[in-house]
């Protein structure tokens, strides 16, 4: 792996040196953008578990490790004409741990391919497919360290009536989740389908308001989990685009009504669930070198925690980015997530509705040496508090530094 990293670095440096003014490689209409990252990382709690609880080491106890990371990616763009274009890419990354490497070392791969059509009379369409092969982090809500893959196929189209301000759109997506072990596969292998449409009106040249409807279907592969199969209706309002000369983003709120196909042996009040979903992102650029981003979300997520078939995840985050006159970029990211479970559960004699709060702070420093070469360092702190049981709490610090090359 060290030899491979050295060879890739040498190839990219020699290639970039001849094209420093215009990063990227061109072969006729084909545009290629290779990238590479190598980093050294320290993680204070690789399994994200609490300190000893009454002398019991949950999940094997807190373990720290030094980690080496290597990443290589290749993105491409292929415009065939003013109406047709392709884009996509491939990425492979490795993590090698100094502690319990056999259980933790991992290789992740991802690939994507997208096609875009922009036709006359305000007609446009997109087709896409993405594939991910990775490993879940240990002791998350849904899995221990488990190898899984996910494939997502999507299609979308829009038509502006008479090229005027009124538009309609249709979209569809299917995501397939598959765990490679029998145990987790029986709990989480499934497909998720979403399809629907929206109708909107262009308020300004770059600002649109719309109403949207989506039909969602989740179907599990193993018969023993068929009580988790469900269908949902989602209807909402949204606005997207440029809200002012310095503010862009998207604001959408929707009502979700989910019904489970088979209540099975659970016979709970969550057979039918009604709740709000939120997708909000605002980007403010007060000056050329400044960027401020605010994001908020609320959604239902699949669960494996006792009788709870889902939990509601609420997220809030703020990102501040600033480029110094010397070229160094500084990025500060703070976030909060609150996961709430609808059904009471009992663990270690305590019965309650579980709630997990996760706080995160991240600082990134990136110093460009060339247009295609930069060095960076990152610090991340993540802390989790659960009202249910101390076994779900953790405190984790990560620090890393490395080199990035991108054409």
């Amino acid at each position: 792996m060290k030899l491979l990293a050295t060879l890739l670095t040498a190839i990219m440096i020699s290639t970039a040196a001849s094209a420093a003014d215009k990063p990227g490689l061109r072969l006729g209409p084909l545009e290629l953008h290779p990238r590479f990252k190598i980093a050294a990382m320290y993680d204070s709690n690789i399994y994200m578990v609490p300190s000893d609880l009454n002398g019991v080491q949950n999940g094997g106890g807190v373990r720290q490790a030094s980690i080496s990371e290597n990443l290589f990616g290749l993105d491409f763009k292929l415009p065939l004409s003013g109406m047709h274009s392709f884009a996509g890419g491939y990425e492979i990354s490795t993590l090698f741990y100094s502690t319990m490497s056999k259980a933790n070392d991992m290789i992740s791969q991802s690939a994507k391919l997208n096609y875009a059509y922009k036709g006359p009379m305000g007609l446009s369409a997109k087709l896409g497919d993405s594939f991910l092969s990775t490993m879940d982090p240990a002791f998350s809500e849904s899995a221990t360290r488990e190898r899984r893959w996910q494939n997502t196929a999507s299609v979308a189209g829009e038509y502006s009536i008479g090229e005027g301000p009124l538009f309609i759109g249709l979209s569809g997506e299917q995501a397939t989740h598959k765990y490679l072990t029998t145990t987790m596969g029986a709990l989480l292998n499934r497909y998720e389908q979403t399809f629907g449409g929206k109708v909107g009106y262009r308020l300004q040249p770059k600002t649109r308001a719309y109403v949207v409807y989506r039909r969602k279907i989740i179907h599990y592969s193993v018969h023993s989990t068929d009580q988790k199969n469900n269908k949902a209706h989602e209807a909402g309002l949204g606005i997207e685009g440029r809200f002012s000369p310095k503010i862009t983003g998207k604001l959408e709120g929707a009502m979700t009504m989910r019904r489970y196909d088979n209540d099975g042996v659970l016979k709970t009040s969550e057979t039918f669930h009604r709740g709000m979903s939120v997708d909000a992102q605002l980007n403010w650029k007060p000056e050329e070198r400044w960027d401020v981003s605010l994001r908020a979300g609320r959604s239902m997520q699949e669960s494996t925690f006792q009788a709870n078939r889902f939990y509601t995840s609420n997220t809030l985050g703020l990102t501040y980015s600033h480029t110094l006159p010397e070229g160094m970029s500084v990025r500060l990211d703070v976030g909060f997530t609150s996961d709430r479970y609808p059904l009471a559960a009992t663990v270690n004699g305590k019965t309650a509705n579980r709630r997990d709060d996760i706080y995160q702070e991240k600082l990134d420093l990136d110093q460009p040496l060339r247009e295609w070469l930069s060095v960076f360092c990152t610090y991340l702190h993540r802390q989790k508090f659960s009202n249910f049981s101390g076994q779900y709490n953790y405190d984790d610090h990560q620090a890393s530094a490395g080199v990035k090359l991108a054409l």
Side-chain angles (χ1 to χ4, degrees):
M1 180 55 64
K2 291 183 178 179
L3 178 59
L4 176 59
T6 303
L7 290 174
L8 290 173
T9 303
I11 292 172
M12 294 188 68
I13 290 178
S14 62
T15 305
S18 63
D21 295 333
K22 295 182 179 180
L25 308 175
R26 290 186 178 274
L27 299 172
L30 178 62
E31 185 177 324
L32 299 174
H33 293 274
R35 49 193 165 83
F36 180 74
K37 179 175 80 169
I38 183 169
M41 181 190 304
Y42 166 78
D43 192 328
S44 67
N45 188 356
I46 61 175
Y47 291 126
M48 295 185 290
V49 295
S51 301
D52 295 358
L53 300 173
N54 301 321
V56 178
Q57 292 186 330
N58 188 62
V62 174
R63 295 287 187 270
Q64 57 184 335
S66 298
I67 306 167
S68 61
E69 178 184 9
N70 294 276
L71 181 150
F72 174 75
L74 179 64
D75 298 321
F76 78 89
K77 296 180 180 179
L78 181 59
L80 299 180
S81 67
M83 298 174 62
H84 307 275
S85 64
F86 288 89
Y90 170 78
E91 179 179 289
I92 181 170
S93 63
T94 61
L95 293 176
F96 297 109
Y97 287 73
S98 63
T99 300
M100 303 180 71
S101 59
K102 184 176 180 179
N104 295 296
D105 290 353
M106 62 179 291
I107 298 176
S108 294
Q109 300 183 74
S110 64
K112 59 183 179 180
L113 178 63
N114 298 307
Y115 163 75
Y117 169 80
K118 187 173 181 63
M121 303 297 293
L123 181 64
S124 63
K126 294 181 179 180
L127 296 172
D129 190 84
S130 63
F131 176 82
L132 172 67
S133 174
T134 188
M135 192 160 65
D136 276 339
F139 299 96
S140 62
E141 193 281 337
S142 58
T144 55
R145 287 215 190 279
E146 295 283 351
R147 170 63 59 180
R148 68 179 181 91
W149 63 259
Q150 176 180 333
N151 190 82
T152 304
S154 62
V155 58
E158 279 194 8
Y159 175 60
S160 298
I161 300 176
E163 296 187 333
L166 186 64
F167 70 92
I168 58 175
L170 297 173
S171 63
E173 178 181 284
Q174 173 162 316
T176 304
H177 305 262
K178 183 174 179 61
Y179 283 79
L180 302 189
T181 62
T182 304
T183 302
M184 292 310 302
L187 293 174
L188 288 170
N189 285 357
R190 66 192 187 278
Y191 69 76
E192 301 179 5
Q193 294 179 337
T194 303
F195 52 90
K198 62 181 178 180
V199 178
Y201 190 84
R202 186 177 294 105
L203 304 176
Q204 298 178 9
K206 296 184 178 181
T207 308
R208 314 191 308 176
Y210 60 88
V211 296
V212 62
Y213 166 79
R214 302 182 185 97
R215 177 67 161 165
K216 296 186 175 182
I217 300 172
I218 299 179
H219 188 277
Y220 282 77
S221 303
V222 179
H223 180 69
S224 61
T225 57
D226 63 0
Q227 71 272 15
K228 296 176 68 174
N229 297 341
N230 64 84
K231 298 180 177 65
H233 299 279
E234 186 174 272
L237 302 172
I239 185 171
E240 61 186 1
R242 183 172 295 278
F243 304 139
S244 76
K246 296 183 179 181
I247 298 178
T248 60
K250 173 183 178 181
L251 301 172
E252 180 182 299
M255 174 63 71
T256 300
M257 293 166 284
R258 172 185 284 196
R259 182 177 295 277
Y260 285 87
D261 298 347
N262 177 14
D263 199 30
V265 297
L266 297 180
K267 301 297 182 185
T268 68
S269 60
E270 66 162 357
T271 301
F272 178 78
H273 176 78
R274 181 185 293 110
M276 286 293 298
S277 63
V278 175
D279 181 7
Q281 301 177 39
L282 290 176
N283 303 297
W284 177 44
K285 193 174 182 63
E287 297 182 10
E288 180 63 28
R289 296 178 180 270
W290 292 26
D291 284 287
V292 180
S293 177
L294 176 66
R295 59 194 181 278
R298 178 181 174 88
S299 62
M300 297 172 64
Q301 303 292 330
E302 297 301 286
S303 172
T304 61
F305 178 64
Q306 294 199 5
N308 286 274
R309 293 181 279 192
F310 71 90
Y311 63 90
T312 301
S313 181
N314 305 277
T315 61
L316 183 65
L318 177 67
T319 301
Y320 168 76
S321 302
H322 182 62
T323 302
L324 303 176
E326 297 80 8
M328 175 181 285
S329 63
V330 181
R331 178 185 172 100
L332 177 63
D333 194 324
V334 294
F336 169 73
T337 300
S338 181
D339 296 333
R340 305 191 180 198
Y341 295 75
L343 296 181
T346 302
V347 172
N348 297 330
K350 179 180 179 178
T351 301
N353 288 75
R354 179 177 168 184
R355 169 180 170 174
D356 297 339
D357 293 336
I358 304 172
Y359 300 84
Q360 176 175 302
E361 310 88 40
K362 186 178 182 181
L363 176 64
D364 290 298
L365 302 177
D366 194 298
Q367 176 62 58
L369 305 178
R370 297 288 188 273
E371 188 176 359
W372 46 270
L373 175 66
S374 64
V375 293
F376 70 92
C377 60
T378 300
Y379 169 74
L380 169 66
H381 174 239
R382 188 183 291 119
Q383 196 165 17
K384 180 176 180 180
F385 299 96
S386 177
N387 73 323
F388 192 77
S389 173
Q391 72 185 72
Y392 301 114
N393 298 343
Y394 64 78
D395 187 37
D396 184 33
H397 298 264
Q398 296 178 6
S400 63
V403 179
K404 293 188 293 186
L405 299 95
L407 289 178

